[in-house]
Amino acid sequence: MPTLTLRDIASSIDGEVKGNIDLTIRLLSEVHKCNSDQICFIKDESFISKLSEDAGAVILSPEIAKKVKLENQIIVDDPYLGYARASKLFFNLYQSYEKAEPEIGENFIRGENVSIGHNCKIGKNVKIHDNVSIYPNTRIGDNVEIHSGSVIGSDGFGFAKDKNLDKWIKIYQLGSTIIENDVEIGANCTIDRGALGNTHLANGVKLDNQIHIAHNVIIGKNTAIAAQTAIAGSVKIGNNCQIAGHVSVVGHIEICDGVVILAKSFVTKSLSKPAVYSGVLKVQEHTKTLKLIAKLNR
Amino acid sequence: MPTLTLRDIASSIDGEVKGNIDLTIRLLSEVHKCNSDQICFIKDESFISKLSEDAGAVILSPEIAKKVKLENQIIVDDPYLGYARASKLFFNLYQSYEKAEPEIGENFIRGENVSIGHNCKIGKNVKIHDNVSIYPNTRIGDNVEIHSGSVIGSDGFGFAKDKNLDKWIKIYQLGSTIIENDVEIGANCTIDRGALGNTHLANGVKLDNQIHIAHNVIIGKNTAIAAQTAIAGSVKIGNNCQIAGHVSVVGHIEICDGVVILAKSFVTKSLSKPAVYSGVLKVQEHTKTLKLIAKLNR
Amino acid sequence: MPTLTLRDIASSIDGEVKGNIDLTIRLLSEVHKCNSDQICFIKDESFISKLSEDAGAVILSPEIAKKVKLENQIIVDDPYLGYARASKLFFNLYQSYEKAEPEIGENFIRGENVSIGHNCKIGKNVKIHDNVSIYPNTRIGDNVEIHSGSVIGSDGFGFAKDKNLDKWIKIYQLGSTIIENDVEIGANCTIDRGALGNTHLANGVKLDNQIHIAHNVIIGKNTAIAAQTAIAGSVKIGNNCQIAGHVSVVGHIEICDGVVILAKSFVTKSLSKPAVYSGVLKVQEHTKTLKLIAKLNR
């Protein structure tokens, strides 16, 4: 398998190497999971304490470099932009790997116009309806049903601003999507794959139609979600939750087991108590709404 | 056509038969429409009074069985779970029926990668754009246009919890989708078929893009709905309504003729007066919102 | 190229011609951009001052006709309905034009089941993922990526009510969609083409999944929008804006450069100051919500 050296990476992201410039790197990794043949990045101070002791190398800013003991470093002005640029390098590296035909289990029912990318693994008794798109490297367990028009493993939404160029630089999405057993996904859903780690739907998750699951979301066992709900990136949802329709969940929060969230709620913080949550004003005649808004604004 | 006996059904849902164990059943039906060769289920007390006098048999709990006079019964601990299990049995029964090629009227314009399931009937002057998926048994009238990526007749979202197995049991969706004449459906909409009865869009209904219509929804003549609105299960909407975008309508309510609902409203109860309805706080600078929320929480 | 005369148009929309009944018309146009070989319509008083001096002809009501000096007029009872009927006539006219195969630049990566309509122009280094639908006459620049299931150039949502027939009359969408360079569009988005003018995404626009962009929306350079946001018709959004998920923007407003809108906001008016905007009550325990609503309704 092809690899990169710190020299290759530094040169492609305009960085300066401290340590072993010939170090061989195989993977761009998350800060807390980084191994000796991998590189990660430190976005800001809050990432420092998470840095894996085994990390091969790290991308960071000059200020943070002073506080990090790790021997092999690539120093850049803007580490998030550095990460974005490095992600393209690694995307191209991985693209050069051998591509395997999808592995598909027995009793597979494949609809019309279904696309399945390379390196996908699909279990047994899986039914995929018409016009579904499955991106490369997706893993799907047994007894899974995916309804028409859904997209599994699309790119997570990630860009870093290059202020000099006044341009968004794409963060290539290097993770995968893992769907365990007994999952059902409705029509026209979108499940993005992980940026570095994976997006993960556990056993028995049930999704209605037009649900959006962003990159690196983890959804626990038997959690059910109703139509047009959107879960932003890196959210962790527990087991046996029930989330109604048109709910919005902001990124990077955690929802514990057994939470029930009513329709149209806007979840802006972690929920650590199993309870019933709601959030919006209920519908009423417009004249009453106008009066209420007037009152609220006084 | 193949049929089932009460013995077959009881055995597959772990129930006990009272009455004629050899009774022939052809259809799993709604409680108020159940005929002599059909079986239905009573979920709770509120269903008792709706039970059709002609019903062939009924699935119910031991407590409710005492209050129901109908001769042929299948008694189970959890009738909703019993219904879910029976739905699979009937789904397989219906699957064994003969499958007809779609019947399509004159002047049909079919886009690329359009799938049309068996037993569909499509009228004349119909235009279906690229990458549309139409599930089996859908009926579409004359002068209908369906835009790209829409899914018609996907499974409604229904599961019953099997508490012993700690697992969701799928409620197979046995109904159809009926779309009358002069209907236009935008891009990437999802219209689920009925669970037992049908989902029904009347003459002249106009849907914008990315609208979700759940199972058993009925939409009256000339009603128009804007983008990203979601209508939950079994809602009945009248004629000549106008529903704006990002509206959420909860399940099992009724909206009368001539209602206008403004964008982003959350409709939580039946609306029986034709009027203009709204529901959410309007956008303003975030600092004002924070002050308002602080004030509201005091 | 085929053309129409005022006589043709008047006859098809039940109107009465004042002026040169043999005038040749090539295009149905917007009121402020109408040239000498084009016709436009005046919906109400507010359109009068916008009427281009060069307009070839105009569709208007008898009342407004008295206030408009333009020589060539078609007078109808309901000019909006007249416009709807005329749009069908022009749609058929344009359909009769020669249809060109799509022009596609170098390094094009085309997914499976991608449809591309006639007269499309696609730049270089474009990647279109599986099951994407691109309607005719769409223009796409260089370095554009479109994810699976998205629909580009679908019909905008426009109907005029014919009160005599009690029927919606379709406004045929005669404009195009223009996507400039370096744009990325997520999975299952819908971008409607313009009604008369175009829908336009400028350089560097980034869209997440399941976003709805209605007809005639203009989005400025480097603006990024998160999942499940809906932008209604004729909205103009500036450069370098950031709009979070599940935001609704009503039609015909203008958002200036540099605006940030937080998730689930409902934008009901133009925003002319670059600031951070928000809008809805945050999630909290349902019991608190119920108390709050009770308090608000007192």
Side-chain angles (χ1 to χ4, degrees):
Chain A
M1 270 195 195
T3 57
L4 297 167
T5 62
L6 277 201
R7 180 187 289 104
D8 299 329
I9 302 168
S11 132
S12 111
I13 71 173
D14 274 334
E16 185 192 343
V17 177
K18 277 175 56 178
N20 176 8
I21 201 165
D22 294 315
L23 184 74
T24 294
I25 297 291
R26 293 179 190 282
L27 221 65
L28 181 57
S29 174
E30 294 171 281
V31 71
H32 61 294
K33 288 186 174 170
C34 193
N35 288 333
S36 60
D37 58 354
Q38 302 177 357
I39 190 169
C40 59
F41 75 102
I42 291 185
K43 193 181 173 185
D44 55 41
E45 296 264 338
S46 71
F47 277 56
I48 297 179
S49 62
K50 296 178 188 160
L51 179 60
S52 157
E53 289 186 7
D54 299 331
V58 62
I59 298 168
L60 34 54
S61 69
E63 300 72 42
I64 287 178
K66 293 172 196 158
K67 303 179 184 168
V68 168
K69 297 237 158 42
L70 194 73
E71 191 190 336
N72 300 307
Q73 304 185 343
I74 299 179
I75 297 171
V76 292
D77 287 343
D78 179 344
Y80 195 60
L81 180 60
Y83 157 51
R85 288 170 165 182
S87 73
K88 182 174 183 178
L89 195 67
F90 280 91
F91 182 79
N92 288 332
L93 177 74
Y94 305 162
Q95 286 290 97
S96 71
Y97 290 4
E98 207 176 342
K99 291 179 175 63
E101 287 295 303
E103 279 177 37
I104 294 178
E106 57 191 10
N107 293 324
F108 181 56
I109 299 178
R110 181 176 184 151
E112 298 178 40
N113 315 315
V114 169
S115 69
I116 302 178
H118 56 76
N119 302 334
C120 285
K121 288 186 188 177
I122 297 180
K124 54 190 184 194
N125 305 318
V126 169
K127 184 172 190 179
I128 299 185
H129 291 262
D130 309 334
N131 288 304
V132 166
S133 307
I134 301 180
Y135 279 59
N137 306 308
T138 300
R139 272 187 277 158
I140 294 177
D142 300 336
N143 312 313
V144 168
E145 183 163 5
I146 302 176
H147 283 279
S148 286
S150 280
V151 177
I152 315 296
S154 37
D155 285 13
F157 192 59
F159 299 89
K161 197 57 161 291
D162 184 327
K163 283 164 193 153
N164 294 328
L165 298 177
D166 188 27
K167 231 179 147 165
W168 290 110
I169 303 300
K170 181 177 175 75
I171 297 170
Y172 283 78
Q173 305 289 303
L174 306 173
S176 302
T177 311
I178 297 175
I179 293 172
E180 295 192 359
N181 304 321
D182 303 310
V183 170
E184 183 158 341
I185 295 173
N188 282 352
C189 290
T190 56
I191 320 281
D192 284 345
R193 71 179 181 277
L196 293 172
N198 299 319
T199 303
H200 195 122
L201 275 58
N203 286 335
V205 165
K206 307 293 183 188
L207 303 186
D208 197 355
N209 296 343
Q210 298 192 38
I211 286 169
H212 168 67
I213 307 292
H215 47 185
N216 298 92
V217 167
I218 296 172
I219 303 184
K221 199 180 139 187
N222 290 338
T223 284
I225 304 180
Q228 295 196 339
T229 280
I231 314 291
S234 302
V235 167
K236 191 175 172 198
I237 299 177
N239 301 329
N240 298 307
C241 293
Q242 294 184 33
I243 302 179
H246 262 158
V247 170
S248 316
V249 180
V250 300
H252 299 273
I253 68 168
E254 205 159 320
I255 294 174
C256 73
D257 293 353
V259 160
V260 174
I261 302 175
L262 300 189
K264 233 181 174 68
S265 297
F266 180 24
V267 184
T268 58
K269 56 177 187 197
S270 288
L271 304 176
S272 56
K273 180 182 156 190
V276 177
Y277 296 85
S278 68
V280 295
L281 292 178
K282 300 297 188 298
V283 75
Q284 54 185 352
E285 286 202 32
H286 189 43
T287 49
K288 284 193 188 169
T289 303
L290 292 176
K291 279 182 202 159
L292 176 58
I293 290 170
K295 196 164 77 180
L296 289 174
N297 287 333
R298 275 199 303 270
Chain B
M1 269 195 193
T3 56
L4 296 166
T5 62
L6 276 201
R7 180 187 289 105
D8 299 329
I9 301 169
S11 132
S12 110
I13 70 173
D14 273 333
E16 185 193 343
V17 176
K18 276 175 56 178
N20 177 8
I21 201 164
D22 294 314
L23 184 73
T24 294
I25 298 291
R26 293 181 191 280
L27 220 64
L28 181 57
S29 174
E30 294 171 281
V31 71
H32 61 293
K33 289 187 176 171
C34 193
N35 288 334
S36 59
D37 57 355
Q38 302 177 356
I39 190 168
C40 58
F41 75 102
I42 291 185
K43 192 181 173 183
D44 56 41
E45 296 264 339
S46 72
F47 277 56
I48 297 178
S49 63
K50 297 177 189 161
L51 179 59
S52 156
E53 288 187 6
D54 299 330
V58 62
I59 299 167
L60 34 54
S61 69
E63 300 71 40
I64 288 178
K66 292 172 198 158
K67 304 178 185 169
V68 169
K69 298 241 156 46
L70 194 72
E71 192 190 336
N72 299 309
Q73 304 186 342
I74 299 181
I75 296 170
V76 292
D77 286 343
D78 179 345
Y80 196 60
L81 179 60
Y83 157 51
R85 288 171 165 180
S87 74
K88 183 174 183 177
L89 194 68
F90 281 90
F91 182 79
N92 288 332
L93 178 73
Y94 304 162
Q95 285 291 95
S96 71
Y97 289 4
E98 206 176 344
K99 291 179 175 64
E101 287 295 302
E103 279 177 38
I104 295 178
E106 57 191 11
N107 293 323
F108 181 55
I109 299 178
R110 181 177 186 151
E112 299 179 39
N113 315 315
V114 168
S115 69
I116 302 178
H118 56 76
N119 301 334
C120 284
K121 288 187 190 177
I122 296 180
K124 57 191 181 192
N125 306 319
V126 169
K127 184 172 190 177
I128 299 185
H129 292 262
D130 308 334
N131 289 304
V132 165
S133 307
I134 300 180
Y135 280 60
N137 306 309
T138 301
R139 271 187 279 160
I140 294 176
D142 299 337
N143 312 313
V144 169
E145 182 163 6
I146 302 177
H147 284 279
S148 287
S150 279
V151 177
I152 314 297
S154 37
D155 284 13
F157 193 60
F159 300 89
K161 197 59 161 288
D162 184 326
K163 281 164 195 152
N164 294 328
L165 299 177
D166 186 28
K167 232 179 146 162
W168 290 111
I169 304 299
K170 181 176 175 75
I171 297 170
Y172 283 77
Q173 304 291 302
L174 306 172
S176 302
T177 311
I178 297 174
I179 294 171
E180 295 192 0
N181 304 322
D182 303 310
V183 170
E184 182 159 341
I185 295 174
N188 282 352
C189 289
T190 57
I191 319 281
D192 284 344
R193 69 179 181 277
L196 293 171
N198 298 321
T199 303
H200 196 122
L201 275 58
N203 286 336
V205 165
K206 307 294 181 187
L207 303 186
D208 197 354
N209 296 342
Q210 299 192 38
I211 286 170
H212 167 67
I213 306 292
H215 46 186
N216 298 91
V217 167
I218 296 172
I219 303 183
K221 199 181 139 188
N222 289 339
T223 284
I225 304 180
Q228 294 195 338
T229 280
I231 313 291
S234 301
V235 168
K236 192 175 173 200
I237 299 176
N239 301 330
N240 299 307
C241 294
Q242 294 184 33
I243 302 180
H246 262 159
V247 169
S248 316
V249 179
V250 301
H252 298 273
I253 68 168
E254 205 159 321
I255 294 174
C256 73
D257 293 353
V259 161
V260 174
I261 302 175
L262 301 190
K264 231 178 172 71
S265 297
F266 180 24
V267 184
T268 58
K269 57 178 186 195
S270 289
L271 304 176
S272 55
K273 179 182 155 191
V276 177
Y277 295 85
S278 68
V280 295
L281 293 178
K282 299 299 188 296
V283 76
Q284 53 184 353
E285 287 203 32
H286 189 44
T287 49
K288 284 194 187 166
T289 303
L290 293 176
K291 279 182 202 156
L292 176 58
I293 291 169
K295 195 165 79 180
L296 290 174
N297 287 332
R298 275 200 301 270
Chain C
M1 270 196 196
T3 56
L4 297 166
T5 62
L6 277 199
R7 179 187 289 104
D8 299 329
I9 302 168
S11 132
S12 110
I13 70 173
D14 274 333
E16 185 193 342
V17 177
K18 278 177 52 181
N20 176 10
I21 202 165
D22 293 314
L23 184 73
T24 294
I25 297 290
R26 293 182 190 280
L27 221 65
L28 182 56
S29 175
E30 294 171 281
V31 70
H32 61 295
K33 288 186 175 169
C34 194
N35 288 332
S36 60
D37 58 355
Q38 303 177 356
I39 190 168
C40 59
F41 74 103
I42 291 184
K43 193 182 173 184
D44 56 41
E45 296 264 338
S46 72
F47 278 56
I48 297 178
S49 62
K50 296 178 189 160
L51 179 60
S52 158
E53 289 187 5
D54 299 330
V58 62
I59 299 167
L60 33 53
S61 69
E63 300 73 39
I64 287 178
K66 293 172 196 156
K67 304 179 184 170
V68 169
K69 299 238 155 40
L70 194 74
E71 191 190 337
N72 300 307
Q73 304 185 341
I74 299 180
I75 296 171
V76 292
D77 287 343
D78 179 343
Y80 195 62
L81 180 60
Y83 157 52
R85 287 171 165 181
S87 72
K88 181 173 184 179
L89 194 67
F90 281 90
F91 181 79
N92 288 332
L93 177 73
Y94 304 162
Q95 286 289 96
S96 71
Y97 289 4
E98 206 177 342
K99 291 179 176 62
E101 286 295 302
E103 278 177 38
I104 295 178
E106 56 190 11
N107 293 324
F108 181 56
I109 299 178
R110 181 176 184 151
E112 299 179 38
N113 315 315
V114 168
S115 70
I116 302 178
H118 56 77
N119 301 334
C120 285
K121 287 187 189 175
I122 297 180
K124 56 191 182 192
N125 306 318
V126 168
K127 184 171 189 178
I128 299 185
H129 291 262
D130 308 335
N131 288 304
V132 166
S133 308
I134 300 180
Y135 279 59
N137 305 308
T138 301
R139 271 186 279 159
I140 295 177
D142 299 336
N143 312 313
V144 167
E145 183 163 5
I146 302 177
H147 284 278
S148 286
S150 279
V151 176
I152 315 296
S154 38
D155 284 14
F157 192 60
F159 299 89
K161 198 59 163 286
D162 184 327
K163 282 164 194 153
N164 295 328
L165 299 177
D166 187 27
K167 230 179 149 165
W168 290 111
I169 303 301
K170 182 177 175 75
I171 297 170
Y172 283 78
Q173 305 290 303
L174 306 172
S176 302
T177 311
I178 297 174
I179 294 172
E180 295 193 0
N181 304 322
D182 303 311
V183 170
E184 182 158 342
I185 295 174
N188 282 350
C189 289
T190 56
I191 320 281
D192 283 345
R193 71 178 181 278
L196 292 172
N198 299 319
T199 303
H200 196 121
L201 276 58
N203 286 335
V205 165
K206 307 294 181 187
L207 303 186
D208 197 356
N209 296 343
Q210 297 192 39
I211 287 169
H212 168 67
I213 306 292
H215 46 186
N216 298 92
V217 168
I218 296 172
I219 304 183
K221 200 181 138 189
N222 290 339
T223 285
I225 304 180
Q228 294 195 340
T229 279
I231 313 292
S234 301
V235 168
K236 192 175 172 199
I237 299 177
N239 301 330
N240 299 306
C241 294
Q242 293 184 33
I243 303 180
H246 262 158
V247 169
S248 316
V249 179
V250 301
H252 298 273
I253 68 168
E254 205 159 321
I255 295 174
C256 72
D257 293 352
V259 160
V260 174
I261 302 175
L262 301 190
K264 233 181 172 71
S265 296
F266 181 23
V267 184
T268 58
K269 57 177 186 197
S270 289
L271 305 175
S272 55
K273 178 184 156 190
V276 177
Y277 296 86
S278 68
V280 295
L281 292 178
K282 300 299 186 298
V283 75
Q284 55 184 352
E285 287 203 32
H286 189 43
T287 49
K288 285 194 188 168
T289 304
L290 293 176
K291 278 183 203 157
L292 176 58
I293 290 170
K295 195 165 77 181
L296 288 174
N297 286 333
R298 275 200 302 269

